[in-house]
Amino acid sequence: TDYLEKTYEKSPRRSMNHERKVKMLLPVKTGHGVVRKSQVVDDQQDEAEAVLQTDDSEEDSGNYPVALSTPLADAVPQDRQPPRTVAQQLSYQYGKLRELKQRMGTLASDIVEDPQERVTHLKELLAFLRADGSIGLGLGTEHLLRRLAALTLLEVFKDVVPGYAITGPTTTGNVRLKKDTRALQGFEEALLRYYGQYVTCLRKMLARYDRRDKKSPEGVRQRLAAQLAHVAGRCVCGLLLAHPHFNLREQLVSLAVHCLGSEDEELSRTACHSLKQLYRQDRLGQATLEAVRKTRALLRARGLQVHPRVLEPFLELKLKEEPASQGAPNLKKVRERLRKLSRREHKHHKRLQKLEAQLRETEAQESEVQRDRLQGQILQQLLWTYAHVLKQVLQRPVIKPLLGPVLRGVSRFAHLVNLDFLEDLLGALSALLDQLGPREVPLCLQAAFALLSGQGKALNVDPQRFYLALFGCMLSNVDARAVLLCWRPMVTDRCRSLSAGRIRALLKRLATLCLAQTGGALALSLALGALLRSEPRLQVLLDSTEDQGTFRPQLPDPDHAGSAPLWELHLLRRHCQPSLASWAGALAAGSRLPPALVRLEPHKALSSPHDLLSVFPSPPKGPHMPEAKAAEPQQ
């Protein structure tokens, strides 16, 4: 006990002067005993060492801090700094933000200038992206900095990523490589590592936004998280469109499809536009197949309770009209031809095959057989999705909004549907007619007759039910564009096979619909005139002197509705639109029409009706249009 007390008494004590501190040094052991030493240090030196130790500990833990070019005097704790006013704080944050933006721009330009030598600068840019409360510039400023870092990395990766997928090293063992080869392998490994970290950060941003509390009122943090998620969605779609061949494509496709099914409208629209562009520009088909599979998995996971926007990108799929028909090569002839070659010709033939394979790999071209196989898989996934939606609508009317893109997709790809799917799709469309409204019936009819016009001609299907639906939907004020979509495949192209009573009743109903339309009356009258000119059996409708019976529009069946002269044309001669009045007058009188007008498609007149005034003569004057008198000069 006495020894401990003596040792404590001999130990150095802190000076009474509070402005100076004493730092204990390591003891030195000598022959006479242990010698203890101390050193007086200043406060600023102690604080600087504390800051350096903190930086070292953060670097060892793997959390890379943002490199700020600030002196150590700014790293003094906040409790020892003098209080700042609001203006000083805003000025300080603005200056730091401007400095960090300049730093990001410098790093990005350095990487793009020499990617192989400065690829490690991506580490510092990723540190900006991960900065979550570690800079001390305020919540809004840090979110702005992260958004800028994400967009900067997107542009850097667009320029730096090579035009091929990076694979692992092909050499094993103690194989010595050239210096340039080792440098290229190191660059590819570092680039792929940082690319993966960037994709992981984007995924975490989107996941954090999905985990938000949707029931709580929207606050500042939720708005900032939404803005950050929108930027992350843009970056994901930008990477996928810029380099769909590169590594981690499957993760990018999953994130893009996840954004497509998001409840956020802006995020969903961004993904929808990007997937449409991906389907249009993808020539190999691998990225398209992955996106179609992920979309189908999303529909199944959510029970088809998604926005119709999820199915709209399918309409942009580039599927060939007919697959390339290349038969299998005759192996006997190939062997005989190779057997006749000499040794020199054999070597030349192998060399040519090797060069052709390298050329296809360099140009990123796939064989026709591979393309046809991918197209078959894409079409199979697409038709499964459409058939599943059509069958589920009958049991769950809540998903009826999905019928719009589904019916348009069936009409678009009907020529590629084989006979196995035709009967199922036609049965589902026929059962849907009773549950659809007047605006959806024309889309269903267009899809059904698109299926019947291709390989469906081989099926023995009675289209009576579809004509009843067409005759019924034209009674209401339906859209003219929807009527024109199904009028041509159902009536104009099949007028030879329709009975005289049915086609006359349909034409009479179309003329009545022209009177009820405002913007689409001209397009409907053009379709009516095209049918009158092509079918001689309808010329009797222009003769008002002959007794043709009575037209009963209240009957649901056009075969029993009867027919009557087209007196609607005489009413259309008094239409306020000069082009429509001239067209109706020419049809009623049976006069010769201009060739440019005869070849005009109805849908073109629907899109721009005012462009047709130049091909029409001026409307005839009648008793309802008195000639204007010239004004008398005043005396």
Side-chain angles (χ1 to χ4, degrees):
T1 305
D2 297 336
Y3 175 76
L4 292 176
E5 291 178 356
K6 292 180 181 180
T7 305
Y8 181 78
E9 289 292 333
K10 292 180 180 180
S11 62
R13 291 171 174 79
R14 180 171 295 183
S15 176
M16 297 300 293
N17 187 6
H18 296 285
E19 296 180 357
R20 308 180 67 183
K21 294 183 180 180
V22 179
K23 179 181 179 182
M24 298 299 300
L25 301 180
L26 293 176
V28 179
K29 186 176 182 181
T30 62
H32 302 284
V34 178
V35 179
R36 301 181 182 276
K37 296 183 178 182
S38 61
Q39 182 182 0
V40 178
V41 295
D42 297 334
D43 294 342
Q44 295 182 356
Q45 182 179 359
D46 192 10
E47 292 169 358
E49 291 179 359
V51 172
L52 293 177
Q53 291 177 2
T54 305
D55 294 342
D56 294 339
S57 62
E58 289 180 355
E59 186 175 0
D60 295 338
S61 61
N63 299 325
Y64 302 103
V66 178
L68 301 178
S69 57
T70 57
L72 292 177
D74 294 342
V76 180
Q78 295 291 336
D79 55 352
R80 299 189 181 183
Q81 289 184 355
R84 297 173 180 172
T85 62
V86 177
Q88 291 177 350
Q89 184 67 20
L90 291 177
S91 177
Y92 172 76
Q93 292 182 2
Y94 178 76
K96 291 299 180 183
L97 180 61
R98 182 176 56 186
E99 183 180 351
L100 294 176
K101 288 168 64 176
Q102 292 177 356
R103 178 61 179 169
M104 281 192 293
T106 303
L107 291 173
S109 60
D110 291 344
I111 296 171
V112 174
E113 182 180 356
D114 192 357
Q116 292 192 9
E117 295 294 334
R118 301 170 182 173
V119 69
T120 54
H121 290 355
L122 291 171
K123 180 179 180 181
E124 191 170 350
L125 287 176
L126 288 171
F128 283 106
L129 184 61
R130 296 192 186 101
D132 192 3
S134 59
I135 303 179
L137 295 180
L139 185 62
T141 307
E142 289 182 358
H143 275 75
L144 176 60
L145 184 64
R146 296 182 67 186
R147 294 198 298 269
L148 293 175
L151 295 175
T152 303
L153 284 168
L154 172 63
E155 298 301 327
V156 169
F157 281 119
K158 281 184 178 180
D159 294 335
V160 172
V161 168
Y164 55 89
I166 297 177
T167 58
T170 56
T171 58
T172 57
N174 298 326
V175 179
R176 299 186 62 182
L177 301 176
K178 295 182 179 180
K179 182 178 179 180
D180 296 340
T181 305
R182 292 196 305 269
L184 181 60
Q185 287 185 357
F187 164 72
E188 290 178 348
E189 292 177 0
L191 178 63
L192 188 58
R193 181 172 65 253
Y194 293 133
Y195 188 81
Q197 294 177 8
Y198 179 56
V199 174
T200 303
C201 290
L202 296 179
R203 178 177 55 81
K204 290 181 179 180
M205 291 179 185
L206 294 173
R208 183 176 300 178
Y209 180 63
D210 292 337
R211 291 194 302 266
R212 71 188 187 280
D213 189 4
K214 302 177 183 178
K215 296 182 180 179
S216 61
E218 185 178 1
V220 177
R221 291 185 178 273
Q222 290 190 2
R223 288 198 299 269
L224 293 176
Q227 295 176 2
L228 196 60
H230 295 164
V231 173
R234 286 175 53 189
C235 295
V236 167
C237 297
L239 284 179
L240 184 60
L241 291 177
H243 302 287
H245 60 277
F246 196 61
N247 302 66
L248 304 180
R249 178 184 59 199
E250 186 176 357
Q251 297 185 18
L252 292 176
V253 170
S254 300
L255 292 176
V257 173
H258 177 73
C259 294
L260 179 65
S262 176
E263 296 180 359
D264 192 293
E265 184 177 359
E266 182 178 352
L267 195 61
S268 179
R269 289 186 181 276
T270 302
C272 180
H273 177 72
S274 301
L275 288 177
K276 287 181 180 180
Q277 190 174 355
L278 176 66
Y279 293 157
R280 286 194 295 264
Q281 70 183 18
D282 186 19
R283 297 183 179 181
L284 302 181
Q286 297 177 357
T288 300
L289 179 60
E290 292 180 3
V292 172
R293 284 177 175 173
K294 296 294 183 182
T295 306
R296 183 166 178 258
L298 176 67
L299 292 172
R300 295 178 61 184
R302 298 191 180 182
L304 300 179
Q305 294 184 358
V306 295
H307 196 274
R309 194 183 301 113
V310 176
L311 295 173
E312 289 181 1
F314 286 163
L315 300 176
E316 301 295 332
L317 288 172
K318 296 296 182 181
L319 300 179
K320 294 188 300 183
E321 297 293 332
E322 295 180 359
S325 58
Q326 294 182 356
N330 193 348
L331 297 180
K332 292 184 178 180
K333 293 183 179 180
V334 173
R335 293 193 188 98
E336 291 179 0
R337 183 169 56 85
L338 293 177
R339 193 181 298 113
K340 295 179 181 180
L341 297 178
S342 62
R343 182 177 299 178
R344 181 179 299 178
E345 292 175 346
H346 267 292
K347 292 182 179 180
H348 182 66
H349 180 69
K350 290 183 178 180
R351 195 180 300 112
L352 285 179
Q353 287 183 343
K354 186 176 181 180
L355 289 176
E356 290 177 358
Q358 292 179 356
L359 182 61
R360 286 195 301 269
E361 184 178 358
T362 303
E363 296 180 355
Q365 293 182 354
E366 294 287 341
S367 62
E368 293 294 334
V369 178
Q370 178 72 7
R371 291 181 183 178
D372 293 342
R373 184 180 64 83
L374 291 175
Q375 175 175 325
Q377 295 179 2
I378 294 171
L379 184 62
Q380 188 179 27
Q381 296 286 333
L382 183 66
L383 294 179
W384 281 349
T385 304
Y386 286 162
H388 182 59
V389 173
L390 291 176
K391 292 179 180 179
Q392 290 294 322
V393 168
L394 298 174
Q395 305 173 3
R396 301 164 57 192
V398 69
I399 61 174
K400 189 179 292 185
L402 297 179
L403 282 178
V406 169
L407 294 176
R408 289 196 297 269
V410 172
S411 303
R412 178 176 176 81
F413 304 108
H415 60 285
L416 299 174
V417 181
N418 53 16
L419 294 177
D420 298 335
F421 280 99
L422 273 176
E423 295 183 359
D424 295 340
L425 292 177
L426 286 174
L429 292 176
S430 178
L432 275 175
L433 288 175
D434 297 334
Q435 300 184 4
L436 300 180
R439 295 182 179 274
E440 299 169 344
V441 168
L443 293 177
C444 183
L445 296 177
Q446 181 193 10
F449 277 84
L451 293 172
L452 291 174
S453 61
Q455 300 182 12
K457 294 180 180 180
L459 299 177
N460 188 12
V461 178
D462 185 14
Q464 173 68 17
R465 181 178 177 83
F466 298 109
Y467 282 103
L468 292 177
L470 176 63
F471 192 71
C473 75
M474 292 173 63
L475 184 61
S476 58
N477 190 13
V478 69
D479 187 19
R481 189 181 301 274
V483 174
L484 291 175
L485 288 177
C486 57
W487 179 263
R488 181 170 183 174
M490 294 184 65
V491 182
T492 305
D493 296 342
R494 291 173 172 260
C495 61
R496 302 292 182 181
S497 60
L498 297 179
S499 62
R502 177 180 296 181
I503 194 172
R504 289 177 183 177
L506 290 173
L507 194 64
K508 183 70 175 178
R509 179 60 59 85
L510 182 64
T512 307
L513 188 61
C514 291
L515 296 176
Q517 290 287 328
T518 55
L522 179 60
L524 294 177
S525 63
L526 288 176
L528 185 145
L531 188 60
L532 281 174
R533 295 192 310 271
S534 62
E535 184 58 37
R537 294 179 295 174
L538 301 177
Q539 296 297 326
V540 68
L541 297 178
L542 299 177
D543 189 4
S544 59
T545 59
E546 184 178 353
D547 186 12
Q548 303 177 17
T550 305
F551 178 66
R552 296 179 292 274
Q554 69 276 7
L555 296 180
D557 192 353
D559 293 337
H560 305 287
S563 63
L566 293 177
W567 52 265
E568 292 86 358
L569 293 177
H570 297 278
L571 294 179
L572 290 174
R573 293 176 61 183
R574 302 172 180 269
H575 200 272
C576 61
Q577 189 175 359
S579 56
L580 179 56
S582 300
W583 172 254
L587 282 179
S591 59
R592 185 175 179 273
L593 298 174
L597 189 60
V598 174
R599 294 190 298 266
L600 187 64
E601 294 292 337
H603 65 274
K604 294 183 179 179
L606 188 63
S607 59
S608 57
H610 298 289
D611 297 339
L612 307 176
L613 296 176
S614 59
V615 297
F616 288 107
S618 59
K621 298 179 182 180
H624 64 286
M625 298 176 60
E627 186 176 358
K629 296 182 179 181
E632 297 181 359
Q634 298 181 359
Q635 297 181 358

